[in-house]
Each structure stands twice: as C-alpha cells, then as structure tokens.
Amino acid sequence: MSLLGRDLAIDLGAASTRIYAKRKGIVLDEPSAVMCDGRTGKVIGYGAEAAALGAGGRTCWPVSGGLPADAELARRMIRHFLRKVHWHPYARPRLVLALPGDSTPIDRAALRDVAYEADARTVRLIPHALAAALGAGLSLTDCTGHMVIDIGRDSARIAVLSGESVVAAGSVPYGGRAVSRAIARYVEREHGLQLDDAEAESAKRRAGGGEAEVVVRARDPDTGRERDLALPVQRIFEVTAQPIESIARAAEETVERCPAELAADLGVRGAVLVGGGALLRGLGRRLREALCMPVHRAERPLECVALGLGRCVDELGLIGRFRGGRT
C-alpha cells in the first residue's frame, strides 16, 4: 500500500466511529470514547480499549452531533483510529466525512481542521442526510420525495430529500440517550434504585417486543446491592413519550416546509429510520401513528451513514454531484 494511504470514509458519531475503506467495506467500528487518567488527565485509551478499561479513569466522548465537541481529543482519537486501519504511522489518506445539515461555516471549518490535523491528505464533506439515504438504499436519481430520520446518541435529525439535494431538514436535541435517561429517571423516582447506562439501554431496546414487562438489574444507592426489577412496558412507553413526541413533531414541521407534491410522495413512500435509536422496538409504530405515513427501519440502521459515505469513496463521481461536497 502507498504511504499516502488509501481512500477512507469516516462516520464520526457521538456513540461510535466507523471507518469504511475503499473496496473493502467497514474496517473499524469502535466507541467514540477516550479514556483519561482521573488524576493526571493523560489519555490512556481510545475506542474499544477505553470502554474495556471501565472504572480505570474518566471516559470522555469528544463528538456530539457529528461534530467535534472537544477538538483536541477528537483529533487524537481520529488519528489513533486511522493508524489502526493503516498500520503505518506516516500514512495520509483521503477522507470523506458527513457534514450535519444544521452545521455552520465555523462547524464545517472545525471538522475539516480536525481531520487535517489527524493527518488526512484531503477532506471531502458530504451532507449527512444524503449519506444516510445512500446507506439505507434509497434511490436519489429521481425527483420524488424521501424522508430520513436519523436517531443518534445525542440528537435526532430529519431530512426530506428530492433528487440529490436536501429540500427541508430539522433536528431536536433528543436521541437514544434521552430515551435511556428517561427510563433511568423513572426507576430512580418511583423505585429509589439506579440503572447504569447499559441496563437502561437494554430496557429501551427490549420494550415493545411483545412482553408485558422487562426485567433490569438495578442498584440500591444506599447499600450498593443489586437486584432484579420488573418494569411494565406500558410505563416505559409513558415515560419515554416526551422525546419521541419531540422527534415526531420535528418531522411534522419538516414535512410542512416541503412543496405539496413532495409531501404527497411522503404519504406514500413514508420515512426510513436509521441510527442507533432506530433499534428501539415499537418506535416505528409510534412514529407511524404520529406522522400518519409509513415508517420502516433500514436494514442496517447503525451502519447507514458509513455505508453511504463508503459509496462516495467507491464511486468518487458521486461527490461532485452532491451539493455541499467540499475539498
């Protein structure tokens, strides 16, 4: 392999980072986590390694909403991941990244700067919604309307696309973590027990599977002891209604900003769910009821953005056709 490096796509997510290598597919999928020593602040692990260290330090999540929240830690994390993929410290790849639809020129510059400082040779930015749509298998060659609802860790993004451009977009600061936190707050408020992130996430994904209850492992904050707790699924739906209603309302407002003919298309074609939050059981049904349109989950919701960016790496001609692509 040339020391200049291969062409890569990076899906820089708040929860996970995925790297797609040209003609090879997704070659890295790790948490967007950096572990720092609690006393010195020195970085002691990245990605899966940071998650495995557990209580060995302070876990930082340097990405939020697809953009660097901590530029220095994000740069170091990306560089670490790139070197894992290349196995050579001097490789300088050409990168394709997703640019959130609500980003500002300052956000765009920050994302590019972090990528260049992580040793990228060139950087191309693709609108996030287009990457998600490509990865979900939507056809963008006609002028009919498509809706993509991407529910990430920190936020949900909604976009209506026609052809190869975004016609309308919206976002809310409610993602999968907001739903999990609502469940954890309910357990603490009504039972006086604490749920860790993993248990709240598990309860969120199992709710809606047809059972009347889901059992979680909760901890008594006074004694430190853990015990099983059965949570009624109906109560889980009730306490998580607010973030889901906010997502549905943002989707409705996005549709209202569309031309009438595209809104009519959506009534037939509906919306596709992508992102980690799409795995919440029963979410599609709840959004169908709120939006009065078909809603289905993409085949590989977690990987849609990475796969869409990967198509741009495999077919470089796509980049020039998309509005928003930049060197």
Side-chain angles (χ1 to χ4, degrees):
M1 182 185 67
S2 167
L3 292 186
L4 289 177
R6 64 180 71 150
D7 295 338
L8 302 173
I10 301 182
D11 172 18
L12 192 62
S16 299
T17 294
R18 298 176 180 86
I19 297 182
Y20 182 108
K22 186 172 184 177
R23 308 299 183 195
K24 291 183 177 293
I26 295 174
V27 295
L28 181 140
D29 185 347
E30 296 196 19
S32 299
V34 178
M35 179 68 76
C36 297
D37 185 281
R39 182 174 58 85
T40 66
K42 181 181 178 181
V43 173
I44 57 177
Y46 300 92
E49 179 186 14
L53 289 171
R58 176 171 54 90
T59 303
C60 303
W61 299 86
V63 178
S64 180
L67 295 167
D70 184 316
E72 175 61 18
L73 288 183
R75 177 190 65 80
R76 296 177 66 174
M77 181 185 73
I78 294 170
R79 178 181 288 175
H80 173 81
F81 288 155
L82 291 177
R83 289 181 177 177
K84 283 190 73 170
V85 169
H86 278 292
W87 293 96
H88 198 291
Y90 301 113
R92 299 192 64 217
R94 294 188 295 187
L95 297 184
V96 177
L97 294 95
L99 181 70
D102 56 355
S103 58
T104 66
I106 293 176
D107 293 331
R108 181 195 298 268
L111 183 59
R112 293 177 63 214
D113 287 347
V114 164
Y116 279 123
E117 290 168 5
D119 295 335
R121 179 162 39 113
T122 62
V123 178
R124 290 277 188 162
L125 304 180
I126 301 300
H128 182 278
L130 291 174
L134 282 173
L138 301 183
S139 173
L140 302 180
T141 57
D142 55 30
C143 292
T144 54
H146 301 277
M147 174 180 277
V148 176
I149 302 176
D150 184 350
I151 304 176
R153 178 175 181 264
D154 296 328
S155 62
R157 303 188 190 103
I158 303 97
V160 175
L161 305 97
S162 179
E164 295 170 345
S165 62
V166 178
V167 177
S171 65
V172 289
Y174 298 105
R177 185 167 61 167
V179 177
S180 298
R181 283 180 169 177
I183 297 172
R185 285 195 299 268
Y186 151 64
V187 170
E188 184 171 13
R189 182 176 63 250
E190 297 197 9
H191 300 279
L193 301 174
Q194 295 178 341
L195 284 187
D196 63 21
D197 292 342
E199 284 295 308
E201 179 75 13
S202 175
K204 177 183 71 177
R205 295 192 178 186
R206 285 182 287 142
E211 301 295 328
E213 296 179 331
V214 296
V215 178
V216 296
R217 194 74 175 165
R219 185 175 66 87
D220 187 319
D222 296 324
T223 65
R225 294 181 178 177
E226 294 185 345
R227 65 181 178 87
D228 290 338
L229 177 67
L231 303 179
V233 166
Q234 183 58 39
R235 286 293 291 137
I236 292 177
F237 283 171
E238 290 171 0
V239 300
T240 60
Q242 192 271 331
I244 292 175
E245 287 173 0
S246 296
I247 294 170
R249 192 178 311 116
E252 291 174 333
E253 293 171 354
T254 303
V255 173
E256 290 171 358
R257 295 196 296 272
C258 294
E261 60 271 19
L262 290 186
D265 286 340
L266 297 177
V268 176
R269 294 175 178 268
V272 60
L273 292 175
V274 304
L279 297 175
L280 174 60
R281 289 184 176 179
L283 176 62
R285 174 181 56 81
R286 296 165 79 179
L287 288 176
R288 277 195 296 273
E289 294 172 354
L291 297 173
C292 299
M293 67 171 65
V295 177
H296 69 278
R297 187 171 67 196
E299 184 177 347
R300 299 169 66 178
L302 291 170
E303 301 172 344
C304 279
V305 174
L307 293 173
L309 293 173
R311 278 197 58 187
C312 295
V313 167
D314 289 340
E315 307 169 39
L316 292 177
L318 284 174
I319 296 177
R321 302 209 315 255
F322 291 155
R323 298 173 186 175
R326 294 291 185 272
T327 302

